[in-house]
Amino acid sequence: HCPSREDLWVREGKILNPEKLFFDEKGSADIQLDCKDSIIAPGFIDVQINGGFGVDFSLATDDFKSGIDLVSQKILSHGVTSFCPTLVTSPPSLYHQVLPQISIRNGGAHGAGILGAHLEGPFISKEKKGAHPEHCLRTFEEGAFQDLLATYGSLDHVRIVTLAPEMKRSSEVIQELTKRGICVSLGHSVANLSQAEEAVRHGATFITHLFNAMLPFHHRDPGIVGLLTSDKIPAGRRVFYGMISDGIHTNPAALRIAHRAHPKGLVLVTDAIAGLGLAPGRHTLGQQVVEIDGLNTYIAGTKTLSGSVATMDTCVRHFQEATGCSVEAALEAASLHPAQLLGIEHKKGTLNYDTDADFLMLNDALYVQATYIAGEQVWRQDALGM
């Protein structure tokens, strides 16, 4: 997955093997672009973003669709070419209103592609609810999976569900979700390691923002964090884990520990909230009021962290700086790994032939200079220093 290719050939939205063009078709390029020593990398994929630019995906508004359009447009400048709009714990009525309005769609000049929703909650632990409203939390009753269906209304446009695996009957729910091709993530949880391992045996493949909203690592029972080095992961399976690399949610040393223990599983996520890109002050996260103070975001009046206001390109730069990893590794954590997590690495997350031509041009300091989706330039840093 090496990003150092001399040139990149694109046709009809896909990355092209130029040999086919030269030898089979005796063709050549119609348009040539000088990238002036930029780094070319696959587009970033954000699998956990709650909103941004004043838009909160966990609020039912009359113009929800234009809200999602605004966010997908604005994140292009941060190198994000596809994403999973994320809903925090909400009442059933909200899921029923909002989920039908989230359509899975390709990206383009209008904005980043939507891969499906990430439903974070409400089947999570009261002790580790973080910024999620306690009165909306739910457990699995008699019907387990039926309870989940009734809560969400439909799973048609759902890509990821975060739940706490220590909940009674979670195993059957994990199996049912996995069977439907939905990625199950463990998070907001007080699970011990064997509960987490059991969830992985039943099909869970992801950990929601590692270290945040879970039991701290303990040497006798390392909890969910222990999955990074567990020897009970089924053969041929990989556990991925999200990290909010904003310099606030996890100390750089914790970021380094995770990265060194399990580099191939690390997925950078922003966990961005409506206040991303806006001035400090009061904003929302679903049912809660959130206070932004610099890069810190708290539930108003508390010191409970509630999402971040860091952009994906900032997270990539911070991650690279904190871990001292290669530029390739930093870029893969925001592109290849999320694509592998979602099982779409044959289409996105690499610069391999025949994959979607979603790619970025970055300078050596990893600032985004231009964003392309399906071979079309959808954003560039213009002379105005935008």
Side-chain angles (χ1 to χ4, degrees):
H1 301 295
C2 180
S4 56
R5 285 230 184 102
E6 293 303 297
D7 47 21
L8 187 74
W9 293 75
V10 175
R11 176 163 71 185
E12 286 167 8
K14 303 272 185 225
I15 293 176
L16 180 69
N17 179 349
E19 288 192 5
K20 184 174 165 359
L21 185 68
F22 300 154
F23 299 116
D24 301 354
E25 305 170 24
K26 310 269 188 283
S28 62
D30 299 324
I31 301 171
Q32 275 195 353
L33 197 63
D34 179 359
C35 302
K36 302 187 171 61
D37 289 334
S38 298
I39 296 168
I40 296 189
F44 298 150
I45 299 171
D46 193 352
V47 300
Q48 188 176 9
I49 169 170
N50 311 292
F53 317 100
V55 175
D56 184 343
F57 298 146
S58 306
L59 283 184
T61 53
D62 296 337
D63 55 354
F64 184 85
K65 280 204 162 77
S66 55
I68 216 161
D69 289 349
L70 177 77
V71 174
S72 59
Q73 223 281 304
K74 290 273 202 183
I75 56 182
L76 294 174
S77 66
H78 303 295
V80 178
T81 52
S82 35
F83 70 110
C84 294
T86 303
L87 274 64
V88 295
T89 297
S90 302
S93 57
L94 182 112
Y95 297 113
H96 294 206
Q97 272 178 284
V98 166
L99 281 177
Q101 303 191 65
I102 295 178
S103 49
I104 294 171
R105 64 174 191 212
N106 292 329
H110 59 273
I114 299 175
L115 300 167
H118 176 171
L119 305 182
E120 190 188 359
F123 302 99
I124 57 171
S125 150
K126 196 158 76 209
E127 290 80 34
K128 291 290 175 190
K129 63 182 188 294
H132 293 236
E134 188 166 330
H135 69 276
C136 295
L137 299 182
R138 298 174 82 91
T139 53
F140 299 121
E141 302 305 324
E142 309 314 272
F145 188 68
Q146 289 322 110
D147 296 334
L148 176 138
L149 271 182
T151 301
Y152 296 146
S154 153
L155 292 170
D156 286 353
H157 303 141
V158 175
R159 203 70 198 72
I160 304 175
V161 172
T162 294
L163 52 77
E166 69 274 18
M167 287 200 162
K168 275 199 218 30
R169 318 208 48 181
S170 65
S171 291
E172 51 191 279
V173 172
I174 293 171
Q175 283 173 303
E176 286 295 330
L177 287 168
T178 308
K179 219 180 347 193
R180 286 164 171 75
I182 293 170
C183 161
V184 175
S185 188
L186 311 178
H188 287 275
S189 159
V190 292
N192 60 33
L193 180 55
S194 66
Q195 289 167 325
E197 287 168 336
E198 190 186 349
V200 170
R201 276 200 300 279
H202 285 112
T205 52
F206 195 38
I207 303 169
T208 297
H209 45 51
L210 188 77
F211 296 124
N212 296 113
M214 61 187 59
L215 291 176
F217 177 84
H218 188 285
H219 55 285
R220 273 193 296 277
D221 192 339
I224 289 178
V225 176
L227 286 176
L228 270 61
T229 54
S230 166
D231 56 1
K232 305 246 180 348
I233 307 298
R237 283 268 300 282
R238 185 187 302 179
V239 174
F240 292 90
Y241 58 97
M243 290 204 84
I244 309 166
S245 154
D246 61 352
I248 285 155
H249 276 76
T250 35
N251 183 284
L255 205 52
R256 285 192 284 274
I257 285 174
H259 176 249
R260 288 182 197 174
H262 185 29
K264 296 265 177 267
L266 197 148
V267 172
L268 293 177
V269 298
T270 60
D271 197 17
I273 60 167
L276 168 76
L278 301 182
R282 295 202 155 197
H283 300 280
T284 66
L285 176 57
Q287 316 285 305
Q288 314 273 45
V289 178
V290 172
E291 193 90 52
I292 297 183
D293 169 17
L295 272 184
N296 289 293
T297 66
Y298 302 112
I299 290 183
T302 73
K303 285 286 174 227
T304 301
L305 287 179
S306 52
S308 90
V309 285
T311 58
M312 185 58 97
D313 55 321
T314 306
C315 291
V316 169
R317 290 189 294 270
H318 179 262
F319 171 63
Q320 205 266 323
E321 201 177 323
T323 59
C325 70
S326 67
V327 165
E328 288 90 329
L331 295 169
E332 285 183 353
S335 55
L336 174 65
H337 296 173
Q340 290 171 328
L341 164 72
L342 297 176
I344 55 172
E345 69 273 27
H346 56 293
K347 290 196 298 217
K348 297 191 186 295
T350 73
L351 300 176
N352 297 344
Y353 299 147
D354 298 324
T355 61
D356 296 349
D358 299 357
F359 58 90
L360 312 174
M361 290 182 196
L362 306 111
N363 65 15
D364 289 343
L366 299 186
Y367 284 85
V368 181
Q369 296 170 318
T371 304
Y372 286 74
I373 293 182
E376 178 192 2
Q377 182 177 282
V378 292
W379 181 83
R380 70 176 275 268
Q381 181 157 36
D382 58 24
L384 301 169
M386 283 274 286

